[in-house]
Amino acid sequence: MTLLITGGTGFVMSVLARTWLERDPKARAVILDRAGLDDLAARYFAPVRDRLTVITADICDPREWQATLDSHDIRYVVHGATVTPISRGSAAEAKRQPEAEDPARIVDVNFMGTVRILEWVRQRPDVERVVFVSSGSVYRHHGPDWTGEPLPEDGYVAPLTLYGISKYAAEMVVNRYADLFGLSAASVRLASVYGPMDRVTGSRNFRHVPNRVAHMALSGETIRPNSLEPVGDYVTSTDVADAIIALLSAERLRYRHYNIGSGETSTIGDIIGWARERIPGLEVELSSVETANVIQDVSLKDGMWGAYDIARIAMDTGWRPRGARQSFHGYMDWIVENEMRSEGK
């Protein structure tokens, strides 16, 4: 039982690959990624490396990978290869507009990379299911129309960025290929993900609030948020991996799109409070936007920034995320064990 994961040396997809291999000692995984294994990934995959194949190639050039993939008995595909040009977190980062640096590459990888994989899949009748990894960036900034309700998959789609636009366009292509060629395929829209293997890579240089707070707290750095009120639906990479595997394993999928999130919001104040439970001496100073090292827009509380409705995936698979506080503490433990100890801290 072999799973192909594109983008599998990066953040969430690397956690998916290891989780898949740990669940079944007979399972195998193939990673297709432009980047090879960095030091952290090499250590992370060490316990399962004998059942993992890594193909270093450009998703947009099938000549680099098609023949090699043909030699593997691939039954499932998770397409997660993407370019994620997001810039937030500090005043200096907020001034950057990374989409303007290489806009064509964003569209090539996020849209045409999806087409290339689908072209390969449609010629492989043994592939049982395809999951496309999309994003909450496809949603608009406000909604739903009922205050306090989590954001559902139907409606409220209005991407503004090249990232969101390319993701939504790719979702539609996945749907059409499924109809044309009889594929069992679905797209997952991820909320704000943090957790194990969250690090800077060549295609993603962004850290959500829980990542930043956890690292600052553990390193003894003063946290200077511009406010304690901004919210996010934060879900860990381990929960996302479990959710995707649940979708791959489900007997039947009743929908084409599934949200994956915690289903609720946490404030910056909540996250800092959880960090203080582990680091009682943690220092926090409310700061202006110009001097803050954690910046979120106070006005962004719903739509893509709010809670995501996860009823669909819960109904079709039984998956549920762990509690937000428990997940955050688990991530702090993981940082100590896998990042700080390896660096001698």
PDB file of all heavy atoms in Angstrom, residues 238-258:
ATOM      1  N   THR A 238       0.006  17.365  13.132  1.00  0.00           N
ATOM      2  CA  THR A 238      -0.312  15.970  13.452  1.00  0.00           C
ATOM      3  C   THR A 238      -1.807  15.704  13.298  1.00  0.00           C
ATOM      4  O   THR A 238      -2.210  14.646  12.786  1.00  0.00           O
ATOM      5  CB  THR A 238       0.137  15.632  14.882  1.00  0.00           C
ATOM      6  OG1 THR A 238      -0.310  16.660  15.782  1.00  0.00           O
ATOM      7  CG2 THR A 238       1.651  15.556  14.973  1.00  0.00           C
ATOM      8  N   ASP A 239      -2.640  16.648  13.716  1.00  0.00           N
ATOM      9  CA  ASP A 239      -4.080  16.492  13.519  1.00  0.00           C
ATOM     10  C   ASP A 239      -4.443  16.521  12.038  1.00  0.00           C
ATOM     11  O   ASP A 239      -5.319  15.775  11.583  1.00  0.00           O
ATOM     12  CB  ASP A 239      -4.843  17.594  14.264  1.00  0.00           C
ATOM     13  CG  ASP A 239      -5.060  17.277  15.738  1.00  0.00           C
ATOM     14  OD1 ASP A 239      -5.074  16.083  16.092  1.00  0.00           O
ATOM     15  OD2 ASP A 239      -5.187  18.215  16.539  1.00  0.00           O
ATOM     16  N   VAL A 240      -3.781  17.384  11.271  1.00  0.00           N
ATOM     17  CA  VAL A 240      -4.050  17.443   9.835  1.00  0.00           C
ATOM     18  C   VAL A 240      -3.676  16.123   9.173  1.00  0.00           C
ATOM     19  O   VAL A 240      -4.408  15.604   8.320  1.00  0.00           O
ATOM     20  CB  VAL A 240      -3.291  18.613   9.181  1.00  0.00           C
ATOM     21  CG1 VAL A 240      -3.421  18.556   7.658  1.00  0.00           C
ATOM     22  CG2 VAL A 240      -3.818  19.948   9.704  1.00  0.00           C
ATOM     23  N   ALA A 241      -2.532  15.554   9.556  1.00  0.00           N
ATOM     24  CA  ALA A 241      -2.116  14.265   8.988  1.00  0.00           C
ATOM     25  C   ALA A 241      -3.155  13.189   9.286  1.00  0.00           C
ATOM     26  O   ALA A 241      -3.528  12.400   8.398  1.00  0.00           O
ATOM     27  CB  ALA A 241      -0.758  13.869   9.556  1.00  0.00           C
ATOM     28  N   ASP A 242      -3.629  13.152  10.519  1.00  0.00           N
ATOM     29  CA  ASP A 242      -4.656  12.168  10.882  1.00  0.00           C
ATOM     30  C   ASP A 242      -5.922  12.370  10.054  1.00  0.00           C
ATOM     31  O   ASP A 242      -6.565  11.402   9.624  1.00  0.00           O
ATOM     32  CB  ASP A 242      -4.997  12.287  12.366  1.00  0.00           C
ATOM     33  CG  ASP A 242      -3.889  11.778  13.273  1.00  0.00           C
ATOM     34  OD1 ASP A 242      -3.020  11.024  12.786  1.00  0.00           O
ATOM     35  OD2 ASP A 242      -3.896  12.139  14.469  1.00  0.00           O
ATOM     36  N   ALA A 243      -6.297  13.631   9.836  1.00  0.00           N
ATOM     37  CA  ALA A 243      -7.512  13.933   9.086  1.00  0.00           C
ATOM     38  C   ALA A 243      -7.393  13.479   7.627  1.00  0.00           C
ATOM     39  O   ALA A 243      -8.324  12.892   7.065  1.00  0.00           O
ATOM     40  CB  ALA A 243      -7.802  15.432   9.145  1.00  0.00           C
ATOM     41  N   ILE A 244      -6.257  13.747   7.010  1.00  0.00           N
ATOM     42  CA  ILE A 244      -6.070  13.356   5.606  1.00  0.00           C
ATOM     43  C   ILE A 244      -6.062  11.839   5.465  1.00  0.00           C
ATOM     44  O   ILE A 244      -6.667  11.284   4.529  1.00  0.00           O
ATOM     45  CB  ILE A 244      -4.781  13.973   5.044  1.00  0.00           C
ATOM     46  CG1 ILE A 244      -4.940  15.502   4.940  1.00  0.00           C
ATOM     47  CG2 ILE A 244      -4.445  13.381   3.672  1.00  0.00           C
ATOM     48  CD1 ILE A 244      -3.683  16.228   4.508  1.00  0.00           C
ATOM     49  N   ILE A 245      -5.405  11.146   6.379  1.00  0.00           N
ATOM     50  CA  ILE A 245      -5.408   9.686   6.323  1.00  0.00           C
ATOM     51  C   ILE A 245      -6.821   9.147   6.514  1.00  0.00           C
ATOM     52  O   ILE A 245      -7.223   8.157   5.880  1.00  0.00           O
ATOM     53  CB  ILE A 245      -4.434   9.109   7.364  1.00  0.00           C
ATOM     54  CG1 ILE A 245      -2.992   9.432   6.961  1.00  0.00           C
ATOM     55  CG2 ILE A 245      -4.623   7.602   7.516  1.00  0.00           C
ATOM     56  CD1 ILE A 245      -1.953   9.040   7.994  1.00  0.00           C
ATOM     57  N   ALA A 246      -7.601   9.788   7.374  1.00  0.00           N
ATOM     58  CA  ALA A 246      -8.996   9.381   7.555  1.00  0.00           C
ATOM     59  C   ALA A 246      -9.775   9.514   6.252  1.00  0.00           C
ATOM     60  O   ALA A 246     -10.603   8.655   5.914  1.00  0.00           O
ATOM     61  CB  ALA A 246      -9.646  10.211   8.663  1.00  0.00           C
ATOM     62  N   LEU A 247      -9.515  10.568   5.499  1.00  0.00           N
ATOM     63  CA  LEU A 247     -10.189  10.754   4.211  1.00  0.00           C
ATOM     64  C   LEU A 247      -9.714   9.728   3.190  1.00  0.00           C
ATOM     65  O   LEU A 247     -10.504   9.226   2.378  1.00  0.00           O
ATOM     66  CB  LEU A 247      -9.956  12.165   3.689  1.00  0.00           C
ATOM     67  CG  LEU A 247     -10.689  13.282   4.440  1.00  0.00           C
ATOM     68  CD1 LEU A 247     -10.171  14.641   4.002  1.00  0.00           C
ATOM     69  CD2 LEU A 247     -12.199  13.191   4.208  1.00  0.00           C
ATOM     70  N   LEU A 248      -8.422   9.420   3.201  1.00  0.00           N
ATOM     71  CA  LEU A 248      -7.906   8.401   2.282  1.00  0.00           C
ATOM     72  C   LEU A 248      -8.526   7.040   2.570  1.00  0.00           C
ATOM     73  O   LEU A 248      -8.750   6.239   1.656  1.00  0.00           O
ATOM     74  CB  LEU A 248      -6.386   8.300   2.402  1.00  0.00           C
ATOM     75  CG  LEU A 248      -5.553   9.475   1.891  1.00  0.00           C
ATOM     76  CD1 LEU A 248      -4.086   9.267   2.245  1.00  0.00           C
ATOM     77  CD2 LEU A 248      -5.717   9.659   0.388  1.00  0.00           C
ATOM     78  N   SER A 249      -8.805   6.781   3.832  1.00  0.00           N
ATOM     79  CA  SER A 249      -9.274   5.456   4.253  1.00  0.00           C
ATOM     80  C   SER A 249     -10.793   5.324   4.245  1.00  0.00           C
ATOM     81  O   SER A 249     -11.299   4.195   4.360  1.00  0.00           O
ATOM     82  CB  SER A 249      -8.760   5.158   5.672  1.00  0.00           C
ATOM     83  OG  SER A 249      -7.356   5.314   5.750  1.00  0.00           O
ATOM     84  N   ALA A 250     -11.497   6.430   4.132  1.00  0.00           N
ATOM     85  CA  ALA A 250     -12.958   6.386   4.205  1.00  0.00           C
ATOM     86  C   ALA A 250     -13.541   5.555   3.070  1.00  0.00           C
ATOM     87  O   ALA A 250     -13.083   5.627   1.928  1.00  0.00           O
ATOM     88  CB  ALA A 250     -13.530   7.800   4.168  1.00  0.00           C
ATOM     89  N   GLU A 251     -14.549   4.778   3.405  1.00  0.00           N
ATOM     90  CA  GLU A 251     -15.176   3.948   2.375  1.00  0.00           C
ATOM     91  C   GLU A 251     -15.804   4.798   1.286  1.00  0.00           C
ATOM     92  O   GLU A 251     -15.744   4.453   0.097  1.00  0.00           O
ATOM     93  CB  GLU A 251     -16.236   3.047   3.026  1.00  0.00           C
ATOM     94  CG  GLU A 251     -16.917   2.105   2.058  1.00  0.00           C
ATOM     95  CD  GLU A 251     -17.894   1.170   2.748  1.00  0.00           C
ATOM     96  OE1 GLU A 251     -17.866   1.089   3.994  1.00  0.00           O
ATOM     97  OE2 GLU A 251     -18.687   0.510   2.041  1.00  0.00           O
ATOM     98  N   ARG A 252     -16.383   5.922   1.684  1.00  0.00           N
ATOM     99  CA  ARG A 252     -17.066   6.788   0.716  1.00  0.00           C
ATOM    100  C   ARG A 252     -16.951   8.232   1.160  1.00  0.00           C
ATOM    101  O   ARG A 252     -17.100   8.524   2.354  1.00  0.00           O
ATOM    102  CB  ARG A 252     -18.545   6.392   0.610  1.00  0.00           C
ATOM    103  CG  ARG A 252     -19.401   7.318  -0.241  1.00  0.00           C
ATOM    104  CD  ARG A 252     -20.792   6.745  -0.418  1.00  0.00           C
ATOM    105  NE  ARG A 252     -21.686   7.697  -1.054  1.00  0.00           N
ATOM    106  CZ  ARG A 252     -22.591   8.427  -0.399  1.00  0.00           C
ATOM    107  NH1 ARG A 252     -22.702   8.305   0.914  1.00  0.00           N
ATOM    108  NH2 ARG A 252     -23.377   9.277  -1.047  1.00  0.00           N
ATOM    109  N   LEU A 253     -16.669   9.110   0.207  1.00  0.00           N
ATOM    110  CA  LEU A 253     -16.638  10.548   0.480  1.00  0.00           C
ATOM    111  C   LEU A 253     -17.879  11.182  -0.144  1.00  0.00           C
ATOM    112  O   LEU A 253     -18.114  11.048  -1.338  1.00  0.00           O
ATOM    113  CB  LEU A 253     -15.365  11.181  -0.098  1.00  0.00           C
ATOM    114  CG  LEU A 253     -14.038  10.645   0.433  1.00  0.00           C
ATOM    115  CD1 LEU A 253     -12.876  11.396  -0.218  1.00  0.00           C
ATOM    116  CD2 LEU A 253     -13.960  10.763   1.951  1.00  0.00           C
ATOM    117  N   ARG A 254     -18.638  11.890   0.678  1.00  0.00           N
ATOM    118  CA  ARG A 254     -19.883  12.476   0.183  1.00  0.00           C
ATOM    119  C   ARG A 254     -19.702  13.894  -0.328  1.00  0.00           C
ATOM    120  O   ARG A 254     -20.637  14.481  -0.876  1.00  0.00           O
ATOM    121  CB  ARG A 254     -20.930  12.462   1.295  1.00  0.00           C
ATOM    122  CG  ARG A 254     -21.514  11.096   1.526  1.00  0.00           C
ATOM    123  CD  ARG A 254     -22.505  11.078   2.651  1.00  0.00           C
ATOM    124  NE  ARG A 254     -21.849  11.035   3.953  1.00  0.00           N
ATOM    125  CZ  ARG A 254     -22.504  10.893   5.099  1.00  0.00           C
ATOM    126  NH1 ARG A 254     -23.814  10.810   5.097  1.00  0.00           N
ATOM    127  NH2 ARG A 254     -21.840  10.844   6.235  1.00  0.00           N
ATOM    128  N   TYR A 255     -18.514  14.456  -0.138  1.00  0.00           N
ATOM    129  CA  TYR A 255     -18.292  15.840  -0.537  1.00  0.00           C
ATOM    130  C   TYR A 255     -16.994  15.964  -1.321  1.00  0.00           C
ATOM    131  O   TYR A 255     -16.113  15.110  -1.250  1.00  0.00           O
ATOM    132  CB  TYR A 255     -18.235  16.745   0.703  1.00  0.00           C
ATOM    133  CG  TYR A 255     -19.491  16.701   1.540  1.00  0.00           C
ATOM    134  CD1 TYR A 255     -19.571  15.862   2.655  1.00  0.00           C
ATOM    135  CD2 TYR A 255     -20.589  17.477   1.217  1.00  0.00           C
ATOM    136  CE1 TYR A 255     -20.723  15.810   3.422  1.00  0.00           C
ATOM    137  CE2 TYR A 255     -21.744  17.438   1.979  1.00  0.00           C
ATOM    138  CZ  TYR A 255     -21.806  16.599   3.079  1.00  0.00           C
ATOM    139  OH  TYR A 255     -22.955  16.542   3.833  1.00  0.00           O
ATOM    140  N   ARG A 256     -16.878  17.055  -2.048  1.00  0.00           N
ATOM    141  CA  ARG A 256     -15.661  17.361  -2.793  1.00  0.00           C
ATOM    142  C   ARG A 256     -14.712  18.254  -2.001  1.00  0.00           C
ATOM    143  O   ARG A 256     -13.532  18.332  -2.311  1.00  0.00           O
ATOM    144  CB  ARG A 256     -16.028  18.044  -4.121  1.00  0.00           C
ATOM    145  CG  ARG A 256     -16.694  17.105  -5.128  1.00  0.00           C
ATOM    146  CD  ARG A 256     -15.677  16.166  -5.751  1.00  0.00           C
ATOM    147  NE  ARG A 256     -16.255  15.211  -6.672  1.00  0.00           N
ATOM    148  CZ  ARG A 256     -16.519  15.464  -7.953  1.00  0.00           C
ATOM    149  NH1 ARG A 256     -16.262  16.660  -8.452  1.00  0.00           N
ATOM    150  NH2 ARG A 256     -17.039  14.538  -8.733  1.00  0.00           N
ATOM    151  N   HIS A 257     -15.232  18.946  -0.982  1.00  0.00           N
ATOM    152  CA  HIS A 257     -14.411  19.878  -0.205  1.00  0.00           C
ATOM    153  C   HIS A 257     -14.634  19.640   1.277  1.00  0.00           C
ATOM    154  O   HIS A 257     -15.777  19.506   1.730  1.00  0.00           O
ATOM    155  CB  HIS A 257     -14.768  21.332  -0.550  1.00  0.00           C
ATOM    156  CG  HIS A 257     -14.759  21.629  -2.010  1.00  0.00           C
ATOM    157  ND1 HIS A 257     -15.904  21.681  -2.772  1.00  0.00           N
ATOM    158  CD2 HIS A 257     -13.741  21.856  -2.859  1.00  0.00           C
ATOM    159  CE1 HIS A 257     -15.593  21.939  -4.025  1.00  0.00           C
ATOM    160  NE2 HIS A 257     -14.291  22.040  -4.098  1.00  0.00           N
ATOM    161  N   TYR A 258     -13.509  19.613   2.024  1.00  0.00           N
ATOM    162  CA  TYR A 258     -13.582  19.404   3.468  1.00  0.00           C
ATOM    163  C   TYR A 258     -12.686  20.413   4.183  1.00  0.00           C
ATOM    164  O   TYR A 258     -11.507  20.556   3.847  1.00  0.00           O
ATOM    165  CB  TYR A 258     -13.093  17.998   3.839  1.00  0.00           C
ATOM    166  CG  TYR A 258     -13.982  16.875   3.373  1.00  0.00           C
ATOM    167  CD1 TYR A 258     -13.827  16.337   2.102  1.00  0.00           C
ATOM    168  CD2 TYR A 258     -14.964  16.338   4.206  1.00  0.00           C
ATOM    169  CE1 TYR A 258     -14.630  15.287   1.666  1.00  0.00           C
ATOM    170  CE2 TYR A 258     -15.769  15.288   3.784  1.00  0.00           C
ATOM    171  CZ  TYR A 258     -15.605  14.774   2.508  1.00  0.00           C
ATOM    172  OH  TYR A 258     -16.404  13.728   2.081  1.00  0.00           O
TER     173      TYR A 258
END
